[in-house]
Amino acid sequence: MSIRDQIADLAFPNANIDMLQALEEKIATRNLAPGQMVTRMAPSPTGFVHLGSIYMGLINTTLARQSGGVCMLRIEDTDQKRQLDDGIAQILTAFHTLHIHFGEGPVLEGAEKGDFGPYIQSHRKDIYQAYAKALIRDGKAYPCFCSSEELDKVRDEQTLKKERTGYYGKYARCRDLSDAEILQKLQAGASFVVRIRSNGSHENRMDVKDIIRGTRSVPQNDMDAIIIKASDGLPTYHFAHVIDDHLMGTTHVLRGDEWFPSLPLHMEMFYIMGWKAPKYAHLSPIQKMDGTAKRKLSKRKDPEANIEFFLEQGYPVNAILEYLLNLANSDFEDWRKKNPALPLADFALDLKKTSPSGALFDLDKLNSISRRIISEYSNTEAYDLALAWAERFSPAFYPRMANEASYIKAILNIERENVRRRKDITRWGTLQDDISYFFDDLFTAPDLATVTGKNPDVLKAVLSGFMGALEHATDRDAWWEATKAATDAAGFCSDTKAYKANPDAFHGSIADFMKIVRLALIGREDSPDVHEIMMVMGLEKVKTRLAKHM
Ligand code: GLU
């Protein structure tokens, strides 16, 4: 056995290099047709699921689907200290709830899907170690025994000399240890990390390609980056993603732009492994305005960074997805205007049209999309979604939703079948408040004289006139004619033109008349169609409400 073999064996006694060939041969079984993309979403289970993760997951799955390829979910849990116990379940649940489905990867219950797993990195330790062992054997990587104190000292020295910090060149002490020294240290049981042996020079430049940013000339990598950590023998992100994206046949890596500076290192690692690198696209994180400045949505500061925030607020999933596509491609809005009825899946997402500087989060835009989407549901669809929301998020509203299903469906149906549908519901979280006036226990009659500033006799005349017209309530047209007559009889004006020509001659217009009616009836000045509201409420309730003020 050569000394190198002995070193490799001592470093990873249990790792089996021979198994790697079969794994590499497997890639060909993807049998991709030209243009088919294999993408992956690679979250770390270290905290709540970020809106940005959903955004990225949507882009990854959409591109794969459009190309006839596949998107995998890969759990990157190699930083064991930062893992949450239920981190993976949180990720799976969030993507499932948001209707983002992966062709391969772990699932909530049962065995993972796909032939290129395991898809949880901590379950692939033997693979990473076998590659590390082979690299050590071949002299392309080496064990490094530097303690953290020693590394700190080097960093201080570099800082003092105003040099780049890091483990490279002459500062990479262990890279020049002799095989005999390495063997001796390993035999003595010294703790070590494994580092890649860089062949690059910071003086030389290289071109890196990014689908969104184009080709950039950057200095080569010269860092001997850690590929296997000392603490648990698990790989670093750099190493794990290179191996996984190769073995899993990834064609396109879409990831956050914080990784863009690591691209020279990753390119060198693919080169050292003798593999072709996938294509890369680095997406800027979602931004928000903070005062007059843009900054990225912050996990700590912004509740809306957490996808759960939107679910809890009661935005329908389709609204969230449509909003995210809107953020991803600025021509989405035009497409939607031209194709109001097409499903989201028909929109052709184009990676090249994503903003390199970061899409700007805009709650008003989300609200307006959500109002439109809610307006497009049938009353039963809206009811079912609102019920599911209440079951999860509103113990106070849920019993009413469940027990008064037909009344609430009728409420939701108001102006829903019109050509211009009602767009007054923004999200399920405000639904109870939106419709509270239909329920006596949630309704407080306002003091009409105070809110309208009108003389009590005028108010009485309005309400009794309106009450009289209710006689025709079952025939909408007849009722409206009678209401107009009541308007004129109460000293208001049912003819808009006549009113505008001489406003001082009247107590107000018919709109003012109806405003008083609405206030008495529902406590609000604006509402959907009054006739429809009355028909749903029932005339008994209507009369009782009006009578209170007379
Ligand atoms: N786990 C990495 C992250 O969350 C994934 C980056 C990638 O997609 O390669 O940033």
Side-chain angles (χ1 to χ4, degrees), residues 362-382:
D362 174 2
L363 195 62
D364 292 339
K365 180 82 202 165
L366 171 62
N367 284 337
S368 105
I369 290 177
S370 187
R371 273 193 290 275
R372 177 173 51 72
I373 293 216
I374 290 180
S375 81
E376 286 164 2
Y377 292 131
S378 72
N379 65 334
T380 310
E381 283 167 334

Side-chain angles (χ1 to χ4, degrees), residues 106-395:
V107 291
L108 266 171
E109 271 168 40
E112 54 182 31
K113 291 187 290 186
D115 297 333
F116 299 85
Y119 295 91
I120 298 179
Q121 286 186 329
S122 60
H123 300 178
R124 300 172 65 79
K125 189 172 175 176
D126 54 340
I127 301 175
Y128 308 123
Q129 292 200 345
Y131 275 115
K133 185 173 185 172
L135 288 173
I136 292 176
R137 181 197 59 193
D138 300 342
K140 295 176 177 169
Y142 60 90
C144 163
F145 303 95
C146 291
S147 65
S148 53
E149 291 75 29
E150 285 170 308
L151 294 175
D152 287 347
K153 244 173 80 187
V154 172
R155 171 167 304 119
D156 291 346
E157 185 188 330
Q158 290 167 329
T159 313
L160 206 71
K161 292 191 195 156
K162 297 202 162 50
E163 295 196 29
R164 278 181 306 128
T165 55
Y167 206 81
Y168 63 91
K170 64 177 190 229
Y171 295 110
R173 296 223 200 124
C174 290
R175 118 185 227 133
D176 296 324
L177 290 178
S178 69
D179 286 346
E181 284 170 304
I182 297 175
L183 192 62
Q184 192 199 1
K185 282 182 191 283
L186 288 175
Q187 279 164 341
S191 134
F192 64 93
V193 299
V194 181
R195 292 183 183 271
I196 195 89
R197 187 183 295 276
S198 170
N199 294 305
S201 157
H202 195 69
E203 310 305 318
N204 297 340
R205 298 188 79 83
M206 66 184 289
D207 282 346
V208 290
K209 287 194 190 131
D210 177 281
I211 297 174
I212 299 167
R213 285 146 215 263
T215 302
R216 297 265 181 97
S217 168
V218 293
Q220 286 179 353
N221 172 64
D222 65 349
M223 296 281 166
D224 285 357
I226 297 178
I227 59 173
I228 300 281
K229 295 175 283 179
S231 50
D232 48 16
L234 280 167
T236 53
Y237 164 73
H238 305 301
F239 194 48
H241 105 275
V242 164
I243 290 180
D244 291 350
D245 283 326
H246 180 67
L247 293 183
M248 295 177 179
T250 304
T251 62
H252 291 74
V253 171
L254 274 51
R255 61 183 179 183
D257 65 358
E258 72 271 24
W259 294 113
F260 186 70
S262 307
L263 205 46
L265 167 65
H266 298 160
M267 288 303 132
E268 184 178 20
M269 289 172 91
F270 275 104
Y271 181 77
I272 289 174
M273 300 303 289
W275 296 336
K276 184 170 177 278
K279 295 196 165 72
Y280 281 86
H282 293 86
L283 281 107
S284 301
I286 298 175
Q287 314 270 317
K288 82 176 257 182
M289 288 310 287
D290 193 352
T292 51
K294 260 186 176 189
R295 63 163 173 79
K296 79 179 206 189
L297 265 190
S298 146
K299 252 188 151 152
R300 275 177 304 110
K301 284 193 245 166
D302 304 315
E304 70 271 33
N306 187 344
I307 189 60
E308 192 63 14
F309 169 83
F310 299 92
L311 300 174
E312 202 222 300
Q313 296 274 305
Y315 289 100
V317 167
N318 282 352
I320 302 174
L321 294 178
E322 179 140 350
Y323 176 63
L324 290 178
L325 281 181
N326 218 288
L327 279 185
N329 272 186
S330 52
D331 60 351
F332 178 88
E333 204 162 349
D334 282 346
W335 174 84
R336 179 43 94 206
K337 277 198 191 116
K338 284 186 201 127
N339 307 286
L342 287 185
L344 276 190
D346 286 12
F347 174 69
L349 183 69
D350 184 348
L351 204 46
K352 295 209 179 79
K353 289 188 191 148
T354 58
S355 151
S357 61
L360 194 61
F361 178 80
D362 174 2
L363 195 62
D364 292 339
K365 180 82 202 165
L366 171 62
N367 284 337
S368 105
I369 290 177
S370 187
R371 273 193 290 275
R372 177 173 51 72
I373 293 216
I374 290 180
S375 81
E376 286 164 2
Y377 292 131
S378 72
N379 65 334
T380 310
E381 283 167 334
Y383 172 80
D384 289 345
L385 289 170
L387 181 72
W389 172 84
E391 183 171 19
R392 180 153 177 231
F393 293 107
S394 179

